[in-house]
Amino acid sequence: MSIPTIDFHKADDATTRPQLLQDLRHALSEVGFLYLSNHGIGESIVQDLVDALPRLFALPDPVKESVALVNSPHFLGYSKFGSEITARVRDQREQFEFANELPDRYGFVVSAGTDSPSPPLYTRLQGPNQWPNFSEVPRFREIVESYVAAMQDLAMRFLELVTEALDLPPHSLERFTGPQDRIKLVHYRPSSPSSSADATAQPSSPSSSSSQGVGPHKDSSGWMTFLLQASDPSIRGLQVLSKDGEWLDAPPVPGTLVINMGQAFEVVTNGVCKATTHRVLLPPGEYDRYSVPFFQGVRPDLTKSDLKALWDRHFDTSAKGWKMVGRESDEGRNIDGPFLRGRYDTWGEAQLRTKIRSHRDVGLRWYKDVFDKYISDD
Ligand SMILES: O=C(O)CCC(=O)C(=O)O
Ligand SMILES: [Fe+2]
């Protein structure tokens, strides 16, 4: 199996659109990953971001830590190398996380102390960014905001094509999207053999010579992920788990974005479109890898019961037409998925739990009352 490429230009031409829709349906329901070419994002919007990344991550640690994630109840900010855990192993990456700018509605209601009931705790994930204030990366905020705005527009346009490819009425998926889209600027560096022997490294890292950039996971932050691989094409690392349980390389292809479905998409489609398991495995060497995933947001109050009608009408998996439904490798099926597996019925709560488990220092500081519940619920 290989990862298909969807040429977005073909959607504009009535002679190529039907085949494109068929290819997209196949990619969504039977592969779970695709490259999107001719996506229409302005070249300078992408290039400005790509150019900013090495300068951003070369800043001294105290400068980066001036916007540390732990300062933010919204999990927006900088996390240093080795602070994130996926599949119980420390990831060899550092990252900045931003979102489209939103007010801290939860904080506002709670601190106002009015009689109105507090919003659910998970609404606290929404809030303002921490923008770093440094001169070494000129126009940084503007570059990130332009990229986010372009991705929000692309994600909505692509979602309409997906809606049509799955034979759904126009706009029927749009109502599941939420107010907050998130983006990460990520820098990977393989651990040297000596550092992988330190106390933080786990014995279960994928192999003794490669380091875990990010461990096997299904994206939990959003609905669909649009990933920019922002290093030289010779720098590999991203791998996708096929339905047969085989890890496939997804090398950078200039001019494309890699798209995959997140956990909410799998739930909304009743398992017809699987959220595909992926990881970044860094071959040994001295190099830097940069990537920028954009996660299209999900409506936080979405519950599984909201989806029943859609499942019955369009994603009845006992009906013919969804050829490979339910097929997934054992490794993929065993990936942690609190919304998928039914323990948490509301999307926002499942997302909060995932965030707390991945960034425990933030959880302890801002979510003390629910920390133990979410950490030890498996
Ligand atoms: O860096 C990459 O290529 C993938 C990152 C990723 O999968 C994630 O952060 O969810
Ligand atoms: Fe991911």
Side-chain angles (χ1 to χ4, degrees), residues 93 184 214 217-219 225 260 278 293 295:
R93 62 177 184 174
K184 294 194 303 192
V214 57
H217 66 282
K218 294 182 169 190
D219 285 340
T225 306
N260 67 276
H278 55 287
F295 304 99

Side-chain angles (χ1 to χ4, degrees), residues 2-63:
S2 62
I3 301 168
T5 299
I6 295 295
D7 179 349
F8 212 8
H9 262 176
K10 290 189 178 164
D12 299 334
D13 181 336
T15 62
T16 49
R17 192 173 169 101
Q19 184 62 48
L20 180 74
L21 289 168
Q22 252 188 49
D23 294 348
L24 180 56
R25 183 184 173 97
H26 175 269
L28 296 170
S29 60
E30 294 175 30
V31 188
F33 254 76
L34 57 99
Y35 288 99
L36 186 69
S37 63
N38 287 318
H39 47 65
I41 306 278
E43 249 171 65
S44 63
I45 291 180
V46 176
Q47 198 56 48
D48 284 353
L49 185 62
V50 169
D51 292 344
L53 296 174
R55 267 183 275 159
L56 174 69
F57 286 107
L59 290 167
D61 288 348
V63 176

Side-chain angles (χ1 to χ4, degrees), residues 178-367:
Q180 189 189 53
D181 303 308
R182 300 176 79 101
I183 189 176
K184 294 194 303 192
L185 314 181
V186 194
H187 172 218
Y188 299 86
R189 199 181 306 120
S191 53
S192 61
S194 57
S195 71
S196 65
D198 77 17
T200 59
Q202 306 283 315
S204 52
S205 60
S207 89
S208 54
S209 54
S210 295
S211 20
Q212 169 169 303
V214 57
H217 66 282
K218 294 182 169 190
D219 285 340
S220 57
S221 284
W223 172 246
M224 273 194 248
T225 306
F226 297 73
L227 174 78
L228 174 69
Q229 301 201 67
S231 301
D232 185 87
S234 62
I235 296 182
R236 302 165 90 96
L238 179 63
Q239 294 187 326
V240 176
L241 189 65
S242 77
K243 292 198 183 238
D244 297 319
E246 205 191 332
W247 284 104
L248 306 173
D249 277 329
V253 177
T256 67
L257 295 164
V258 177
I259 299 184
N260 67 276
M261 312 298 117
Q263 296 192 15
F265 201 86
E266 178 169 340
V267 175
V268 166
T269 60
N270 200 15
V272 164
C273 300
K274 289 275 179 271
T276 312
T277 304
H278 55 287
R279 68 182 181 190
V280 172
L281 196 57
L282 302 165
E286 295 232 341
Y287 60 91
D288 299 283
R289 176 176 186 271
Y290 302 99
S291 73
V292 183
F294 169 87
F295 304 99
Q296 187 179 26
V298 180
R299 221 182 73 208
D301 61 349
L302 176 68
T303 64
K304 284 188 206 154
S305 35
D306 297 339
L307 300 170
K308 185 90 184 61
L310 186 78
W311 291 347
D312 290 346
R313 210 168 315 125
H314 294 286
F315 296 112
D316 176 0
T317 50
S318 60
K320 290 203 168 63
W322 297 114
K323 218 173 33 171
M324 309 227 315
V325 166
R327 199 156 94 78
E328 193 177 20
S329 68
D330 289 344
E331 188 170 355
R333 206 170 301 120
N334 289 332
I335 293 289
D336 185 33
F339 192 55
L340 282 175
R341 311 270 174 258
R343 193 191 306 261
Y344 296 100
D345 204 43
T346 307
W347 167 258
E349 186 175 13
Q351 195 188 9
L352 178 61
R353 172 203 183 256
T354 301
K355 288 277 179 205
I356 290 174
R357 289 171 74 103
S358 300
H359 300 283
R360 296 183 182 201
D361 53 344
V362 186
L364 270 176
R365 175 142 174 208
W366 300 101
Y367 295 94

